[in-house]
Amino acid sequence: MSLPDAPITIRPLHAADEDAWRALWTGYLDYYETAVTEEVYRVTFKRLLSGDDTEFHGLVALVDDKPVGLVHYLFHRHCWKVENVCYLQDLYTDPALRGRGVGRALIEAVYAEADKAGAPAVYWLTQEFNYAGRMLYDRVGVKTPFIRYNRPS
Amino acid sequence: MSLPDAPITIRPLHAADEDAWRALWTGYLDYYETAVTEEVYRVTFKRLLSGDDTEFHGLVALVDDKPVGLVHYLFHRHCWKVENVCYLQDLYTDPALRGRGVGRALIEAVYAEADKAGAPAVYWLTQEFNYAGRMLYDRVGVKTPFIRYNRPS
Amino acid sequence: MSLPDAPITIRPLHAADEDAWRALWTGYLDYYETAVTEEVYRVTFKRLLSGDDTEFHGLVALVDDKPVGLVHYLFHRHCWKVENVCYLQDLYTDPALRGRGVGRALIEAVYAEADKAGAPAVYWLTQEFNYAGRMLYDRVGVKTPFIRYNRPS
Amino acid sequence: MSLPDAPITIRPLHAADEDAWRALWTGYLDYYETAVTEEVYRVTFKRLLSGDDTEFHGLVALVDDKPVGLVHYLFHRHCWKVENVCYLQDLYTDPALRGRGVGRALIEAVYAEADKAGAPAVYWLTQEFNYAGRMLYDRVGVKTPFIRYNRPS
């Protein structure tokens, strides 16, 4: 077990993180009661490491040198702006490490990456009933009145 | 005035549409009580016409050969899928032509473009209190429990 | 047909309104895809006319002397106040007369009754997706962040 | 300190509970960033003890014979039903005793009182962003799409 005050480090996802990344991301997908194919695990991990600006980027949070959280984020066009904006997706913290600030550190690291990239906005979507998440999001972000509609499947 | 049953045609945005596009998009931005700089008009219009897959694409709705509505949409990565998904933004109909199905025709045209591109999902965001919009969206789409948070400005 | 500018009169529900009241209230219940028994029609109508302060009160809107809308309201205790508050329920306008201000006139008449009774607050509940209603409510009232939970049935 | 597994007892509010009731209710009002006058404390407490069916009733939760939670509830008319319905208001648990099931026990005790009174429905309102409350309410109740509007003050 890590000590309650062990420091949190955030760094870009590395190729060597694959096993830990798979475990964390599976936890995230489980939360949404979904699952993806082996192909999606492989393709997404490869894209996250590609360094290509049109792909999602990944950060991991480390405690005691072990990945305990992840976040994926994408820069994309926005018609209202010259600069790209940043879409933060797939934020997850190992349940055993909750309450220490891992989620907040990951969001703030994405803010820093957005600043470096000159992206004037960062946003994310969450389910209205994700109470635990929203307790954090209300502190580090601002709720908007925007809701999401999908094409019917 | 166009006849109430004049047919609606949807086609990609052309360079010759610039004036009409500016007028319609200004109407849209007005709805959101926002405004953009001349640079954003120029850059966004150029990007919409670029044919580049990482840029927003534009469609216009014509009645009597006159643009009366527009929609912008973007294909982007999604970590849960191999294929890109389609983000529909900036849907607008000239208020004088409301109630004829222009908005629906534009959304359905984006669905058709998504099918052509192999994008398995189309989504959009709207304000919770956009009642007129949601009357349409509830018919052509499905409300999700997802809400948007922004980085504080 | 009544003229578009025929004036709207609001008055308390009378015994002679029973048939018109039944028709309007059935329209309201239809909107909620519900129905009530004959006993409920009888008991509720009797209570509305009772003049008893613990019962719902009823107002009707008249156009050309014909009831075209109704509202029911109840004064009840509120632990935070010495005075009773006013719960407005069952607001309905004949669809053929929509857009003339009948709903607004009924709500404002309840405000006046609340003032007469010394009730410092009037409130009502509506479905989040009652777009037509909310277009009016946003003008005559204020949306709160309160949502309703029910005991499971 | 009470033991973590000390049993929770629910009983009606008594005159002797006044000091404890005031402390708990003040905690509740603080949560809503509101305050009431001394008159409201006196009048509300007296009404809660009156045994009058048109008044709010009160229950307290005891741990180690000490009140650690309260709930107020009111039976009132509903036009759609012959029977009264039950409006649960002012649910509160001492923060030091959270997580032990005090809130759930109070809600379930109101359900039992509603059953005794023949009230076929129990409902309550809560702020959309009352995350801690809603974690409980989603387990013991059902969220409805109803939202509350107020007369502007």
Side-chain angles (χ1 to χ4, degrees), chain A residues 43-114:
Chain A
V43 168
T44 293
F45 191 68
K46 194 176 154 194
R47 288 172 177 169
L48 286 165
L49 294 183
S50 70
D52 183 331
D53 274 356
T54 67
E55 300 289 355
F56 272 93
H57 306 280
L59 299 176
V60 285
L62 308 176
V63 170
D64 293 341
D65 272 335
K66 213 188 126 229
V68 298
L70 63 77
V71 67
H72 301 156
Y73 59 100
L74 176 78
F75 295 106
H76 70 76
R77 286 293 192 227
H78 190 296
C79 290
W80 301 19
K81 298 174 201 291
V82 173
E83 306 87 351
N84 280 340
V85 298
C86 179
Y87 174 27
L88 184 160
Q89 211 195 22
D90 294 357
L91 178 72
Y92 188 71
T93 301
D94 180 343
L97 278 286
R98 299 265 167 89
R100 295 188 182 196
V102 171
R104 172 188 281 266
L106 285 163
I107 292 173
E108 289 176 348
V110 173
Y111 288 174
E113 292 300 316

Side-chain angles (χ1 to χ4, degrees), chain B residues 2-51:
Chain B
S2 66
L3 296 171
D5 56 354
I8 301 159
T9 311
I10 310 291
R11 66 154 171 76
L13 187 68
H14 292 167
D17 297 322
E18 183 163 1
D19 289 352
W21 172 84
R22 281 184 175 237
L24 289 168
W25 199 41
T26 301
Y28 175 79
L29 295 168
D30 284 350
Y31 172 81
Y32 282 105
E33 296 176 1
T34 194
V36 298
T37 61
E38 170 60 22
E39 185 191 10
V40 172
Y41 278 101
R42 272 189 291 108
V43 167
T44 293
F45 191 69
K46 194 175 153 195
R47 287 173 177 169
L48 285 164
L49 294 182
S50 69

Side-chain angles (χ1 to χ4, degrees), chain C residues 59-142:
Chain C
L59 300 175
V60 285
L62 307 175
V63 170
D64 293 341
D65 273 334
K66 213 188 125 229
V68 299
L70 63 76
V71 68
H72 300 157
Y73 59 99
L74 175 78
F75 295 106
H76 70 74
R77 287 290 192 230
H78 191 295
C79 291
W80 301 19
K81 298 172 201 290
V82 172
E83 305 89 352
N84 279 341
V85 298
C86 179
Y87 173 29
L88 185 160
Q89 210 195 21
D90 293 358
L91 177 71
Y92 187 72
T93 302
D94 180 342
L97 278 285
R98 298 266 167 89
R100 294 186 181 199
V102 171
R104 172 189 281 267
L106 286 163
I107 292 172
E108 289 175 350
V110 173
Y111 288 174
E113 293 300 317
D115 287 340
K116 271 197 265 177
V122 180
Y123 72 95
W124 61 95
L125 304 181
T126 196
Q127 285 167 319
E128 180 271 333
F129 49 78
N130 179 2
Y131 307 130
R134 292 183 60 192
M135 285 180 190
L136 169 61
Y137 305 154
D138 284 347
R139 290 196 301 268
V140 299
V142 177

Side-chain angles (χ1 to χ4, degrees), chain D residues 60-139:
Chain D
V60 285
L62 307 176
V63 170
D64 292 340
D65 272 335
K66 213 187 124 230
V68 297
L70 63 75
V71 67
H72 300 158
Y73 60 99
L74 176 78
F75 294 106
H76 71 75
R77 286 291 192 229
H78 191 294
C79 291
W80 301 19
K81 298 174 202 290
V82 173
E83 307 87 352
N84 280 341
V85 298
C86 179
Y87 174 27
L88 184 160
Q89 210 195 21
D90 294 358
L91 177 72
Y92 187 71
T93 302
D94 180 343
L97 278 285
R98 298 267 167 88
R100 293 187 182 197
V102 171
R104 172 189 282 267
L106 285 163
I107 292 173
E108 288 176 349
V110 173
Y111 288 173
E113 293 300 316
D115 287 340
K116 271 197 264 177
V122 181
Y123 72 97
W124 61 96
L125 304 181
T126 197
Q127 286 167 318
E128 181 269 333
F129 48 78
N130 178 3
Y131 307 130
R134 292 182 61 192
M135 286 180 190
L136 169 61
Y137 306 154
D138 284 349
R139 290 196 301 268

